[in-house]
Amino acid sequence: MNFTDQEINEIKNHGLTLDQVKSQIELFVNGVPNVKLVAPATVSDGIFKLSNDEELQYLDAYERKKQELDLLKFTPASGAASRMFKKIYQFLEEYNPEKESIDAFLESTGDKHMQAFFDGYENFPFYHHIMDKLDKSALEDESAKKYAFIKTMMAADGEDYGSLPKGLIPFHYYGCYKATAFEEHLHEAAAYAAKNDHASLHFTVSPEHEEAFRKEYDTIHASVSNTTGVNFDVSYSFQKPETDTVAVTMDNKLYRQENGKLLFRPGGHGALIENLNDVDADLIFIKNIDNVLVQDQIHALARSKRILAGLLLKKQEQVFKYAALLDEDSITDAQLDELVAFLKEDFSTRIDDAYSSFSQSEKKNYLAELLDRPIRVCGMVKNEGEPGGGPFWVEDESGKVALQIIESAQVNEKDADQQEIFKQSTHFNPVDIVAGVRNYKGEKYNLLDYVNPDLAFIAYKTDGSNEIKALELPGLWNGAMARWNTLFVEVPLETFNPVKTVNDLLKPAHQAQS
C-alpha cells in the first residue's frame, strides 16, 4: 500500500504512523470480524449475586484498605449534549408558530416525546432559569410561552444547550439552585472515592470545553466542599489526535474533503484507553458523565460502589499471593490446584481443556499468564429493555472463551443464532466499573497491551452529501479491556440512571425532594 508524499505528510502531521493507517485501511477492506457469542452471562454463570454477608465483608475490606491506596474517579465527559436534544431540534425545524398552536401540532403529529416534554417541562431543572429570561409578552399565551421557552433553551443567543458538553447541562434542581452532571460527580466522589477528606477526579473532555469545565469547577467547588467536607483534586485530559482514524470512501480509498485534505475522525470512546493508561492510581472508579442521582439518593449508589471496590481488593489480594508464588517458583502442587479452583470459581475463568496434560512448567506459565493482567469488577443491572451492551461469554479467534461486554453492533446481524443469544441477555452494562491496574509488585500495567484491536467498529457516515466509512476503535469497556480479568456483579437497578434524552430528567431519580 503506497501513499503519496502529501498523504504521508498529512498522516504524520496528525500524529499517526503510516503503519497505523495501513492497519486501519486493512480493517475497512477485510471487514471487522464479528464476535462469536457462546451464551449470555447470567447469575450463577458469569454474574455474581452477592449475599448480605458478602456485601458486608467487601464493605469492610474497602474501608480498611482504602487508606493505603491512591483512589481515582475517572469519567469520560467529552460527549456533546446535542443527542440529548435531537427531538427538540426536530421539533423546532417542523413547527411553525404562525400556523397553529403547539397543542394542535402535537395532536396532528402524535409526537409523544414532545408531548411528554411539555407535559412535564415545569419539572426540568432549568425551568425557572429559562422562565426568568422570557419576555413578559411571551407569557400571555400558553403556546407562545412554550415556544419561547424551547427557543430560549436551544438558541445560540439563548442557553444553547445543544452545543454544551453533557456534563455542563443542569441535571437537578434543589429549590434554590441547579446542579450540573459535573457537580453531581463531585458529590459522588465524596461519597465513595474519598479518603482523609480528599477525593481525586479525572474527566476526559473536548479541548474546546476545558475552560468551561474549569470555570464551572471554580464556581461550585467551595460549596460542594462545604457540603461534603471533602476537598477535591480535579484533572482533565483530551482524546489524543493520534487515536483518530482515517475516513475512506465506500470502495476503501482514502477520503478527501472538498479542500483536498484527508478526513481524520475521533476514534470513539475506545480511544480513552490511552487516557486511562496515563492516569496513576491503585483503584479507579469508571462511570459515564450522564449517569448520576440526586444527592439525597447517593447513599445506595455509594454503598454499591464501595462493595465493588472491596470485592476487587479481596480478589486482587489472592491474585497477588498466587502471582508472587509463581514468580518465585515456590508454589506447591496443592497450591496450583487451589489456584485453578480460584480462577474457575472466583473469576469464572474457563481453563484450557488440555491443562491436565501440561507439564509442571507449562502449568505454571499458563496460570501466571492468566493472573498477570489488570482486573475489572463490572456492575451489571437487570435488563429492562435499555438499548446498549451486556455481559456475554465470548469465544475469541484462538478458541478461548471469556467474559466480555458486548454491544449489538459487534454481533453479526445476519446470523440468527448469534442474534438469538444476544436477545437472551438477562443483564445490561451500565458502565459501572472498578479497575485495578497494578501487578503484585505495585507496577502499573501498560493497558494498551490488553486491547483486542480486532474488536473495532465500522460506521457508515456522511461528509456533506458524500457517503464515507469511519472506524471506531475497540470500545473502552469492550475491546479495549478484552484481555483484562473480569468479574461481573449484579448491582441494584436504582444505581443506573442515565440521561440519554432531555426527557430522562423528568424521571423520579432526577427529581430532588423539596
Side-chain angles (χ1 to χ4, degrees), residues 191-477:
Y192 62 75
K195 70 169 189 177
N196 301 327
D197 299 327
H198 180 87
S200 296
L201 301 93
H202 184 88
F203 294 87
T204 64
V205 300
S206 298
E208 64 270 24
H209 293 142
E210 181 188 13
E211 184 179 346
F213 274 99
R214 291 187 181 278
K215 184 177 179 181
E216 172 73 356
Y217 179 73
D218 289 343
T219 301
I220 65 176
H221 83 269
S223 173
V224 179
S225 290
N226 288 336
T227 301
T228 62
V230 171
N231 293 311
F232 300 95
D233 175 23
V234 177
S235 58
Y236 307 90
S237 65
F238 313 134
Q239 189 167 308
K240 299 178 181 180
E242 59 266 32
T243 65
D244 289 353
T245 59
V246 290
V248 298
T249 62
M250 299 305 286
D251 59 353
N252 303 315
K253 307 295 183 187
L254 284 172
Y255 174 75
R256 291 196 170 280
Q257 303 169 83
E258 287 187 4
N259 61 12
K261 293 184 178 181
L262 299 178
L263 176 60
F264 297 92
R265 304 182 78 261
H269 62 69
L272 299 182
I273 194 68
E274 296 258 6
N275 304 64
L276 185 65
N277 197 42
D278 287 344
V279 299
D280 193 14
D282 298 310
L283 199 67
I284 304 173
F285 296 91
I286 303 171
K287 193 164 183 271
N288 279 340
I289 189 69
D290 67 351
N291 181 15
V292 288
L293 281 161
V294 291
Q295 290 158 30
D296 60 5
Q297 295 182 36
I298 285 179
H299 175 74
L301 167 67
R303 183 178 188 274
S304 177
K305 295 292 268 189
R306 294 198 304 268
I307 289 168
L308 296 183
L311 171 59
L312 185 144
L313 291 171
K314 290 289 284 184
K315 301 306 178 188
Q316 189 182 61
E317 185 178 30
Q318 292 173 277
V319 166
F320 287 175
K321 179 189 77 172
Y322 288 120
L325 289 171
L326 285 165
D327 200 28
E328 296 159 3
D329 201 19
S330 59
I331 195 166
T332 65
D333 289 347
Q335 287 170 327
L336 277 178
D337 292 340
E338 284 176 15
L339 173 52
V340 169
F342 167 69
L343 288 168
K344 286 181 177 179
E345 295 167 14
D346 293 60
F347 275 92
S348 304
T349 304
R350 301 277 182 95
I351 301 297
D352 194 307
D353 290 339
Y355 175 80
S356 60
S357 65
F358 289 174
S359 68
Q360 198 75 344
S361 175
E362 289 172 333
K363 287 180 178 179
K364 291 176 183 178
N365 290 336
Y366 171 75
L367 294 173
E369 193 276 330
L370 287 179
L371 285 178
D372 193 20
R373 302 176 183 189
I375 302 172
R376 58 175 176 161
V377 174
C378 308
M380 292 290 159
V381 295
K382 288 183 178 177
N383 192 335
E384 295 205 339
E386 290 280 353
F392 290 88
W393 290 101
V394 178
E395 183 178 318
D396 69 13
E397 65 283 355
S398 66
K400 295 178 182 176
V401 175
L403 292 170
Q404 301 288 348
I405 297 169
I406 298 298
E407 307 283 340
S408 59
Q410 296 176 269
V411 183
N412 187 345
E413 62 180 14
K414 297 178 181 178
D415 188 322
D417 291 338
Q418 288 288 289
Q419 288 293 324
E420 184 59 31
I421 293 173
F422 189 81
K423 290 175 185 176
Q424 291 171 5
S425 176
T426 61
H427 286 70
F428 177 85
N429 167 42
V431 189
D432 184 1
I433 300 171
V434 185
V437 295
R438 298 195 193 283
N439 65 18
Y440 83 94
K441 296 176 182 177
E443 300 164 336
K444 197 173 81 63
Y445 286 107
N446 178 12
L447 303 183
L448 307 184
D449 292 339
Y450 301 88
V451 175
N452 184 344
D454 288 338
L455 297 182
F457 301 83
I458 292 177
Y460 294 87
K461 305 283 185 179
T462 57
D463 181 54
S465 60
N466 298 319
E467 291 186 336
I468 60 173
K469 288 194 218 176
L471 188 69
E472 290 197 6
L473 299 174
L476 180 59
W477 42 85

Side-chain angles (χ1 to χ4, degrees), residues 41-253:
T42 58
V43 171
S44 77
D45 187 23
I47 300 176
F48 293 98
K49 185 176 178 66
L50 304 178
S51 67
N52 290 335
D53 286 346
E54 286 173 322
E55 290 181 349
L56 292 173
Q57 174 190 346
Y58 298 137
L59 280 169
D60 179 67
Y62 178 58
E63 295 306 320
R64 281 188 295 104
K65 291 174 179 285
K66 74 175 184 179
Q67 296 304 322
E68 311 160 15
L69 304 173
D70 289 328
L71 308 174
L72 179 70
K73 191 174 190 301
F74 182 94
T75 303
S78 55
S82 52
R83 279 186 288 184
M84 254 183 85
F85 297 99
K86 181 179 178 181
K87 295 285 188 180
I88 309 299
Y89 283 124
Q90 184 178 332
F91 167 81
L92 287 170
E93 284 183 10
E94 297 175 354
Y95 175 64
N96 184 345
E98 296 179 2
K99 289 179 58 178
E100 59 187 335
S101 70
I102 283 179
D103 286 347
F105 174 82
L106 295 178
E107 185 174 348
S108 65
T109 60
D111 190 332
K112 293 181 179 179
H113 181 91
M114 292 310 302
Q115 185 67 60
F117 177 94
F118 287 117
D119 284 348
Y121 81 124
E122 293 181 359
N123 294 315
F124 281 118
F126 40 77
Y127 173 78
H128 296 287
H129 175 74
I130 290 178
M131 290 300 293
D132 288 343
K133 293 179 174 291
L134 300 187
D135 189 281
K136 289 185 178 178
S137 62
L139 306 179
E140 296 172 2
D141 174 78
E142 185 65 23
S143 188
K145 181 177 79 171
K146 289 176 178 177
Y147 185 66
F149 178 92
I150 207 166
K151 284 282 287 185
T152 302
M153 185 175 83
M154 302 305 296
D157 59 354
E159 296 305 292
D160 200 14
Y161 281 158
S163 297
L164 293 178
K166 191 181 280 191
L168 297 182
I169 296 290
F171 267 31
H172 302 142
Y173 182 67
Y174 293 102
C176 57
Y177 79 100
K178 57 189 188 304
T180 61
F182 174 73
E183 177 175 340
E184 300 297 30
H185 277 276
L186 298 183
H187 283 277
E188 276 197 19
Y192 62 75
K195 70 169 189 177
N196 301 327
D197 299 327
H198 180 87
S200 296
L201 301 93
H202 184 88
F203 294 87
T204 64
V205 300
S206 298
E208 64 270 24
H209 293 142
E210 181 188 13
E211 184 179 346
F213 274 99
R214 291 187 181 278
K215 184 177 179 181
E216 172 73 356
Y217 179 73
D218 289 343
T219 301
I220 65 176
H221 83 269
S223 173
V224 179
S225 290
N226 288 336
T227 301
T228 62
V230 171
N231 293 311
F232 300 95
D233 175 23
V234 177
S235 58
Y236 307 90
S237 65
F238 313 134
Q239 189 167 308
K240 299 178 181 180
E242 59 266 32
T243 65
D244 289 353
T245 59
V246 290
V248 298
T249 62
M250 299 305 286
D251 59 353
N252 303 315
K253 307 295 183 187

